[in-house]
């Protein structure tokens, strides 16, 4: 039985025996003892004061003395007003460490076929440009959230919805037709998504020139934007796409395939993947059909111009357009169609959308619509809303001159990690292949940790130089500590032992074991809060605790064989817990650095 459970059960028994009152375990509040007081765990006694008919301090003292005499997990106590500070017995810490040591998946709950099914949507790119810094935050949050939900005992399906249709796609297609001269990723040496992104920018350049010329000839700017020949051609191409024109569809398929190959490279480098990918070109017709069904059932209404709307005023929202007067769909229609297809494919219990906070209202509306259309998870859908990510001014302007390209950013991080390691002489004894591998692990770890340690709801500033630091709250600091522990374990003659007869744990050692014991609760809380930053914070706190311990006490040259054996076990489990924790953030930890 866990230490906390033993103490909670003991408090229930103490109140029953001392005061003849039955209390539920949920009434027992247990928390970590504050640093300025002696003890490991603190019981809040105020709920039992009326039952005892004594002062808070007397009540705490009586319950404490009962626990010292009757609960094996408690060796001493002290009362501070209505707070009972308990010192956990050494044998209880040793038993706890033994339990942690036996569990390779420490902190994770088992997943069975009966576990709830959680679907998580993230990434959601457009096929007219490469992934950028905003997509990096989205993908890292989505992937990490999937790992955290699975560690909390859920079956997880990771899904992506690709925006592969619309006027923005036609702009790239038209530009390639006009100025591409048959260029391909192979002939240009460019990734497919970058190549298509270049044509999207090229369209915009020529389009702005046309608008400028029309305005110079006396046309109003808004009218010029509508009348420019290029935008008219793009709209004509979109109509032909909607009509299944073979030539347009073939071009669309070819160029999208180039983009998907490019996306796959970026996803692989980022360390994320999906179990199922949906495409808006397949979902929008399903959405239209679902809206029309809702119209027949009286859930929606049609206006005089033929457009279809949902009236959400009774829920404190407004009226929402679902189908335009010409019958074409909007984003909301497509999301309804995607939900329908997903619900047919999977028995979803919970649906989580990882989408930026500019879409907060959209998901309020979608939740109501899906609920009205009969999706059992509609009302409880989760919009995992996150803030924008920016860079210091002047940093890493991409080829478009406005956004930071994901591939450029990742390469910069790996290059920086390699440079920092080489300058510090950390990789002198490694092969070139190993140096590159370490640079990749550290560079990507720095990027991921820096982004994920921030509360997702907040806007953030990403500073590449700060993220590579080997000290402070960074990925490399945690990775280096893991590598240091693995080095210690390699140098030791044995892996340590818990049968260190007669060795008494010191305060720093018990604090480390207590910190290890907090990992399952940190994982559980991160799942409840949808918060990767909670895991990052735990990993950092554990790393700091270990480094402070390592600064004060030797492991390999410990004062006795018993101390060495015990410390090796503690170190091994710190490394294991860091590895398990960082894995929830999608971060690898190297064996050496």
């Amino acid at each position: 039985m866990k230490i906390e459970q033993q103490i909670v059960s003991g408090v229930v028994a103490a109140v029953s025996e001392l005061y003849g009152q039955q209390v539920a375990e949920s009434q027992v509040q247990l928390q970590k003892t504050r640093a300025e007081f002696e003890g490991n765990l603190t019981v809040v006694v105020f709920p039992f004061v009326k039952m005892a008919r004594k002062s808070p301090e007397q009540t705490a003292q009586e319950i404490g003395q009962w626990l010292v005499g009757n609960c094996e997990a408690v060796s001493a106590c002290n009362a501070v007003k209505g707070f009972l500070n308990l010192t956990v017995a050494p044998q209880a810490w040793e038993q706890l460490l033994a339990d942690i040591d036996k569990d390779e998946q420490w902190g994770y709950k088992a997943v069975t076929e009966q576990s709830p099914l959680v679907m998580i949507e993230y990434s959601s790119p457009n096929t007219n440009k490469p992934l950028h810094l905003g997509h990096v935050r989205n993908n890292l949050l989505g992937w990490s959230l999937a790992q955290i939900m699975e560690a909390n005992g859920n079956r997880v399906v990771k899904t992506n919805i690709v925006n592969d249709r619309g006027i923005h796609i036609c702009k790239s297609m038209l530009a390639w037709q006009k100025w591409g001269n048959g260029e391909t990723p192979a002939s240009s040496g460019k990734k497919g998504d970058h190549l298509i992104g270049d044509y999207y920018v090229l369209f915009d350049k020529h389009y702005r020139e046309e608008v400028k010329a029309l305005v110079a000839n006396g046309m109003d700017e808004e009218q010029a934007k509508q009348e420019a020949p290029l935008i008219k051609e793009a709209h004509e191409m979109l109509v032909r796409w909607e009509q299944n024109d073979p030539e347009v569809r073939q071009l669309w398929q070819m160029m999208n395939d180039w983009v998907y190959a490019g996306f796959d490279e970026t996803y692989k480098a980022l360390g994320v993947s999906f179990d199922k990918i949906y495409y808006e070109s397949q979902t929008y017709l399903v959405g239209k059909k679902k809206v029309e069904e809702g119209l027949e059932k009286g859930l929606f209404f049609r206006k005089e111009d033929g457009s279809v709307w949902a009236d959400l005023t009774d829920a404190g929202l407004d009226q929402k357009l679902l189908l335009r007067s010409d019958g074409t769909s909007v984003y909301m229609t497509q999301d309804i169609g995607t939900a329908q297809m997903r619900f047919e494919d999977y028995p979803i219990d919970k649906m989580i959308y990882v989408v930026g906070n500019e879409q907060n209202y959209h998901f309020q509306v979608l939740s109501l619509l899906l609920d009205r259309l009969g999706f059992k998870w509609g009302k409880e859908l989760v919009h995992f809303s996150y803030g924008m990510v920016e860079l210091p001014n002047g940093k890493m302007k991409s080829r478009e001159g406005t956004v930071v390209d994901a591939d450029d950013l990742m390469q910069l991080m790996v290059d920086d990690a390699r440079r920092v390691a080489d300058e510090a002489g950390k990789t002198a004894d490694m092969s070139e292949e190993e140096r590159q591998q370490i640079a990749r692990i550290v560079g990507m770890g720095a990027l991921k940790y820096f982004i994920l340690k921030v509360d997702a709801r907040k806007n953030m500033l990403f500073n590449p130089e700060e993220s590579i630091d080997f000290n402070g709250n960074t990925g490399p600091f945690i990775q280096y500590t893991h590598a240091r522990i693995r080095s210690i374990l390699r140098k030791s003659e044995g892996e340590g032992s818990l049968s260190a007869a007669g060795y008494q744990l010191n305060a720093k050692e018990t604090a480390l074991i207590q910190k290890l014991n907090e990992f399952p609760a940190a994982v559980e809380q991160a799942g409840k809060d949808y918060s990767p930053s909670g895991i990052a914070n735990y990993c950092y706190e554990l790393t700091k605790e270990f480094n402070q311990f390592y600064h004060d006490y030797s492991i390999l040259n410990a004062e006795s064989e018993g101390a060495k054996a015990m410390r090796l076990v503690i170190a091994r489990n710190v490394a294991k817990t860091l590895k398990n924790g960082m894995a929830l953030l999608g971060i690898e930890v190297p064996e050496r650095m």
Side-chain angles (χ1 to χ4, degrees):
M1 190 187 295
K2 287 183 176 179
I3 290 171
E4 293 90 343
Q5 185 57 52
Q6 289 181 61
I7 292 172
V8 168
S9 299
V11 172
V12 169
V15 171
S16 174
E17 191 170 314
L18 292 170
Y19 313 124
Q21 299 286 328
Q22 300 302 313
V23 296
E25 289 189 350
S26 58
Q27 289 178 263
V28 182
Q29 298 173 47
L30 197 61
Q31 56 199 34
K32 194 172 181 179
T33 303
R34 284 163 55 180
E36 62 265 34
F37 297 110
E38 187 180 343
N40 307 112
L41 293 166
T42 298
V43 178
V44 181
V45 175
F46 294 108
F48 317 121
V49 170
K50 277 189 179 178
M51 301 173 190
R53 296 180 182 175
K54 293 176 182 173
S55 71
E57 192 141 15
Q58 275 184 298
T59 307
Q61 285 172 342
E62 286 183 354
I63 293 174
Q65 289 305 318
W66 191 96
L67 289 172
V68 170
N70 296 278
C71 180
E72 289 184 358
V74 177
S75 61
C77 68
N78 67 86
V80 180
K81 296 181 180 176
F83 298 94
L84 171 61
N85 303 318
L86 303 172
T87 299
V88 174
Q91 67 270 22
W93 288 128
E94 289 173 25
Q95 183 55 54
L96 173 60
L97 182 60
D99 292 342
I100 294 171
D101 193 49
K102 283 185 287 193
D103 187 355
E104 279 306 308
Q105 293 297 303
W106 171 243
Y108 295 7
K109 291 176 185 169
V111 178
T112 69
E113 289 181 8
Q114 283 71 46
S115 297
L117 180 68
V118 178
M119 180 176 277
I120 303 176
E121 174 194 295
Y122 57 97
S123 201
S124 311
N126 294 340
T127 56
N128 64 315
K129 56 189 175 184
L131 303 178
H132 55 65
L133 180 58
H135 289 114
V136 170
R137 191 178 198 191
N138 179 297
N139 280 280
L140 295 182
L141 287 169
W143 176 265
S144 178
L145 193 57
Q147 309 315 304
I148 290 167
M149 296 308 287
E150 192 168 324
N152 275 287
N154 298 286
R155 290 177 297 148
V156 175
V157 175
K158 302 181 293 293
T159 183
N160 187 359
I161 174 71
V162 179
N163 184 359
D164 65 339
R165 60 179 286 274
I167 190 67
H168 53 292
I169 314 292
C170 292
K171 289 176 181 179
S172 295
M173 290 162 60
L174 187 60
W176 185 85
Q177 267 189 339
K178 287 181 173 294
W179 304 296
N181 297 316
E183 187 179 29
T184 68
S187 71
S188 66
K190 291 181 181 176
K191 281 176 80 237
D193 52 337
H194 289 177
L195 181 68
I196 302 309
D198 289 347
Y199 282 104
Y200 184 68
V201 172
L202 191 60
F203 175 95
D204 194 56
K205 178 189 167 199
H206 285 287
Y207 171 57
R208 279 189 275 112
E209 287 171 0
E210 287 185 351
V211 171
K212 190 176 177 182
L214 290 171
V215 170
N217 287 330
M219 189 179 286
D220 172 76
E221 186 174 356
E222 284 307 309
Q223 188 183 358
K225 287 178 179 177
Q226 303 294 323
E227 296 297 326
L230 267 177
I231 201 70
K232 282 189 165 183
E233 278 190 80
H235 278 292
E236 286 167 13
M237 181 177 274
L238 180 58
V239 171
R240 287 169 63 198
W241 184 92
E242 295 264 1
Q243 294 170 344
N244 276 319
D245 179 286
E247 185 185 340
V248 172
R249 285 281 180 149
Q250 189 177 2
L251 174 64
W252 170 77
Q253 190 66 59
M254 178 182 75
M255 292 178 71
N256 273 355
D257 285 346
W258 294 345
V259 172
Y260 299 144
F263 283 173
D264 286 347
E265 280 187 52
T266 305
Y267 289 139
K268 185 178 179 183
L270 203 51
V272 305
S273 62
F274 309 93
D275 301 307
K276 178 81 174 180
I277 298 180
Y278 293 88
Y279 300 89
E280 288 189 4
S281 57
Q282 297 166 358
T283 68
Y284 81 106
L285 291 175
V286 178
K288 284 174 72 172
K289 186 179 177 185
K290 198 72 185 168
V291 168
E292 283 157 5
E293 285 176 17
L295 185 64
E296 287 172 20
K297 293 176 182 175
L299 299 172
F300 310 132
F301 70 96
R302 193 186 294 277
K303 288 192 176 179
E304 288 179 9
D305 65 356
S307 57
V308 177
W309 295 72
D311 185 358
L312 305 173
T313 52
D314 60 341
L317 304 178
D318 57 8
Q319 294 185 346
K320 185 68 183 175
L321 175 67
L322 299 179
L323 288 175
R324 297 187 188 95
S325 56
D326 61 2
T328 55
S329 64
V330 294
Y331 276 118
M332 191 63 71
T333 328
Q334 289 156 196
D335 274 345
I336 291 169
T338 308
Q340 173 69 29
M341 290 179 72
R342 287 170 173 162
F343 195 71
E344 289 170 357
D345 291 341
Y346 299 95
I348 302 168
D349 294 301
K350 185 181 285 294
M351 181 73 215
I352 303 173
Y353 294 86
V354 181
V355 182
N357 56 17
E358 73 277 8
Q359 294 294 327
N360 286 354
Y361 184 76
H362 175 90
F363 284 97
Q364 273 185 283
V365 172
L366 182 62
S367 177
L368 281 169
L369 293 177
L370 293 179
D371 184 54
R372 290 184 185 184
L373 287 166
F375 294 93
K376 67 172 184 175
W377 45 264
K379 197 174 256 181
E380 272 90 43
L381 77 76
V382 176
H383 174 207
F384 182 84
S385 172
Y386 63 90
M388 296 295 99
V389 55
E390 296 158 357
L391 289 127
N393 288 335
K395 297 278 186 183
M396 297 183 300
K397 295 289 185 180
S398 77
R399 58 186 63 79
E400 284 84 355
T402 53
V403 295
V404 178
D405 182 274
D407 296 313
D408 291 348
L409 175 61
M410 288 190 286
Q411 190 58 54
L412 179 97
M413 296 301 298
V414 173
D415 291 346
D416 276 2
R418 174 66 189 263
R419 176 182 54 76
V420 169
D422 286 353
E423 286 174 0
K426 291 179 182 291
T427 56
D429 62 339
M430 296 182 187
S431 68
E432 177 58 25
E433 185 181 353
E434 194 175 4
R435 288 177 186 177
Q436 280 299 103
Q437 176 74 338
I438 295 295
R440 181 191 65 77
I441 291 172
V442 173
M444 293 306 298
L447 170 66
K448 293 178 180 185
Y449 186 86
F450 201 92
I451 285 177
L452 292 173
K453 74 176 181 179
V454 178
D455 181 346
R457 292 165 295 188
K458 296 179 179 175
N459 289 346
M460 67 167 292
L461 186 73
F462 176 70
N463 189 323
E465 289 178 14
E466 282 183 25
S467 70
I468 293 284
D469 196 345
F470 280 79
N471 298 296
N473 191 3
T474 66
F477 173 59
I478 297 168
Q479 289 172 317
Y480 183 68
T481 298
H482 177 272
R484 170 188 270 172
I485 295 171
R486 296 306 302 167
S487 173
I488 291 167
L489 294 172
R490 283 193 298 273
K491 288 175 185 173
S492 70
E493 292 177 6
E495 280 285 290
S497 167
L498 284 158
S499 57
Y503 178 70
Q504 288 290 311
L505 290 163
N506 64 43
K508 286 268 172 71
E509 289 160 348
T510 57
L512 265 177
I513 298 170
Q514 186 168 8
K515 195 70 189 175
L516 289 172
N517 189 43
E518 292 169 16
F519 183 53
V523 174
E524 188 173 328
Q525 196 61 48
K528 286 177 181 173
D529 297 341
Y530 308 111
S531 175
S533 63
I535 298 296
N537 185 60
Y538 172 84
C539 290
Y540 176 56
E541 292 297 325
L542 177 60
T543 302
K544 279 199 304 181
E545 191 104 39
F546 176 81
N547 280 306
Q548 186 59 55
F549 165 75
Y550 188 67
H551 176 270
D552 294 345
Y553 297 95
S554 175
I555 296 177
L556 294 178
N557 296 312
E559 64 274 19
S560 69
E561 282 303 309
K564 178 182 175 182
M566 185 65 76
R567 288 170 192 171
L568 283 170
V569 177
I570 293 171
R572 180 168 75 237
N573 284 284
V574 169
K576 176 179 75 180
T577 304
L578 287 178
K579 185 174 184 177
N580 289 352
M582 294 292 266
L584 297 180
L585 304 176
I587 298 174
E588 299 170 71
V589 285
E591 288 291 303
R592 57 188 299 223
M593 276 173 72

